[in-house]
């Protein structure tokens, strides 16, 4: 695998005394970096989606704890503030729990810095391994559909679902990629397409509403998505619209793959019913690129994640291995707590 060709974007960068984030709200028009010097600034960047994607949120939050420690802030308050930034992606809570355990063990700011760096490094290694595992499931010359952004921007690098796509393209298993726009925030249109075009990967954008029609055409053999939280029974929360893709995939005989590091697996949550789904401001739906498109006075409902039942998932790929047709027993055997 030629990682130099397919793995060049680093959106979360520790600079020794502050955290530098590639502002995902401005892509693809503008590549502007934000410098965060405090846990409060990192929290705000997570809330505002300047940094987004489950693993990237967890990594940024870990660096937020380092910033709080370096400034002598009360760490319990910093942990609580960061934890409340967004509710659905469990990587945030997982990373903060790791930092909290180090704090409880007496770690100083330098030791916390090493822990945050380990969280970031382990994520990159997991993604590269998952790329190989996931790509191995795909027959040569396949077409795939992905949703949201799961690439280098959403992780320490390489990506989860997009990592499998990168590995699949590099190994000749994937010949054509389709990416859904991912309304309302358009992570697919703005971010995934940016990554795919930079890599020279053959990719076509589709409207989210074109997915079933695409599947019926026979052009895609797999839907490949990331995850924000995988419950103990395999139910998977991911970007809004994922669930309808899984339903359509099953109807059309298209396989459905979830790719996520084990930091996204939440064995303390029994099923998808127990996952909190983030509701964001209606303005994200009522406007496009900041310009209102809907009549004044209109209301909107804006849940930004949904839950795909385990029964609709053909494979969950983590760095620990692949679970085909997930069951609570198989999840327990791989991730038992
Ligand atoms: O609201 P976002 O952009 O943070 O949502 C991101 C997603 O849903 C991704 O698909 C998920 O985090 C997996 S990213 C590797």
């Amino acid at each position: 695998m030629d990682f130099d060709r397919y793995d060049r974007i680093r959106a979360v960068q520790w600079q020794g005394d502050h955290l530098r984030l590639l502002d995902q709200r401005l892509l693809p028009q503008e590549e502007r970096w934000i410098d965060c010097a405090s846990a409060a600034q990192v929290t705000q960047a997570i809330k505002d989606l300047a940094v987004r994607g489950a693993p990237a949120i967890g990594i940024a939050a870990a660096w937020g704890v380092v910033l709080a420690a370096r400034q002598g802030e009360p760490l319990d308050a910093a942990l609580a503030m960061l934890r409340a930034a967004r509710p659905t992606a469990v990587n945030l809570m997982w990373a903060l729990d790791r930092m909290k355990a180090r704090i409880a063990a007496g770690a100083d700011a330098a030791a916390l810095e090493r822990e945050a760096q380990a969280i970031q490094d382990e994520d990159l290694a997991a993604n590269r391994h998952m790329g190989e595992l996931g790509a191995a499931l795909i027959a040569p010359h396949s077409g795939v559909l992905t949703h949201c952004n799961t690439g280098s921007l959403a992780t320490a690098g390489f990506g989860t679902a997009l990592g499998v796509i990168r590995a699949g393209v590099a190994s000749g298993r994937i010949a054509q990629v389709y990416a859904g726009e991912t309304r309302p925030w358009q992570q697919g249109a703005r971010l995934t397409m940016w990554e795919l075009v930079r890599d020279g990967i053959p990719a076509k954008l589709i409207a989210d509403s074109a997915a079933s029609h695409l599947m019926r055409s026979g052009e895609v053999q797999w839907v490949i998505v990331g995850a924000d939280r995988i419950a103990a029974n395999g139910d998977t929360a991911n970007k809004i619209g994922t669930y309808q893709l899984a339903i359509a995939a099953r109807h059309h005989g298209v396989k459905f793959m979830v790719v996520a590091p084990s930091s996204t697996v939440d064995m303390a949550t029994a099923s998808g019913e127990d996952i909190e789904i983030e509701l964001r401001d209606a303005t994200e739906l009522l406007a496009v690129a900041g310009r209102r498109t809907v009549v004044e006075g209109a209301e909107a409902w804006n849940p930004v994640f949904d839950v795909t039942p385990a029964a609709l998932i053909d494979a969950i790929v983590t760095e620990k291995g692949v679970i085909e047709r997930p069951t609570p027993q198989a999840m327990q055997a791989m991730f038992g707590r």
Side-chain angles (χ1 to χ4, degrees), residues 21 26 114 204 252 266 296 320:
L21 300 171
L26 303 177
R114 287 194 294 279
K204 286 182 184 159
H252 292 97
D266 178 10
E296 291 296 337
K320 290 182 189 277

Side-chain angles (χ1 to χ4, degrees), residues 118-335:
I119 288 172
Q120 186 154 356
D121 293 346
E122 288 167 26
D123 188 63
L124 179 59
N127 291 339
R128 289 180 169 188
H129 186 42
M130 292 189 300
E132 286 172 20
L133 294 175
L137 302 174
I138 300 168
H141 313 300
S142 292
V144 302
L145 170 63
T146 191
H147 190 58
C148 195
N149 172 264
T150 62
S152 304
L153 292 169
T155 64
F158 199 57
T160 57
L162 210 55
V164 168
I165 290 171
R166 288 187 157 113
V169 169
S171 61
R173 291 172 180 275
I174 296 176
Q176 180 67 50
V177 181
Y178 295 88
E181 270 185 301
T182 322
R183 280 282 294 149
W185 213 73
Q186 297 195 288
Q187 287 93 332
R190 299 195 302 103
L191 307 177
T192 299
M193 289 303 289
W194 182 74
E195 292 201 34
L196 290 169
V197 167
R198 278 173 69 112
D199 279 7
I201 290 174
K204 286 182 184 159
L205 181 69
I206 61 164
D208 295 322
S209 44
S212 294
H213 184 61
L214 172 69
M215 291 183 206
R216 193 173 176 191
S217 74
E219 292 295 317
V220 295
Q221 285 65 51
W222 282 91
V223 174
I224 309 178
V225 296
D228 289 84
R229 192 183 292 237
I230 303 174
N233 68 348
D235 289 354
T236 294
N238 192 49
K239 181 51 56 191
I240 191 76
T242 303
Y243 176 32
Q244 64 193 20
L245 292 179
I247 293 169
R250 185 57 58 88
H251 180 78
H252 292 97
V254 170
K255 296 278 189 65
F256 191 89
M257 186 191 305
V258 172
V259 189
S262 57
S263 54
T264 306
V265 175
D266 178 10
M267 293 300 283
T269 293
S271 81
E273 281 180 34
D274 306 312
I275 298 175
E276 181 178 346
I277 299 296
E278 179 180 7
L279 278 177
R280 290 186 69 88
D281 202 286
T283 52
E284 291 182 352
L285 265 179
L286 296 171
V288 175
R291 189 156 173 259
R292 179 125 186 159
T293 51
V294 184
V295 65
E296 291 296 337
E299 293 181 6
W301 180 56
N302 187 24
V304 299
F305 298 99
D306 58 26
V307 173
T308 298
L312 293 177
I313 298 171
D314 292 290
I316 294 179
V317 177
T318 75
E319 80 284 5
K320 290 182 189 277
V322 177
I323 296 181
E324 297 199 40
R325 295 289 177 125
T327 59
Q329 295 72 25
M331 291 290 292
Q332 177 66 31
M334 193 167 284
F335 305 106

Side-chain angles (χ1 to χ4, degrees), residues 77-90:
L79 286 165
M81 176 178 64
L82 286 158
R83 200 179 185 93
R86 292 188 75 188
T88 305
V90 78

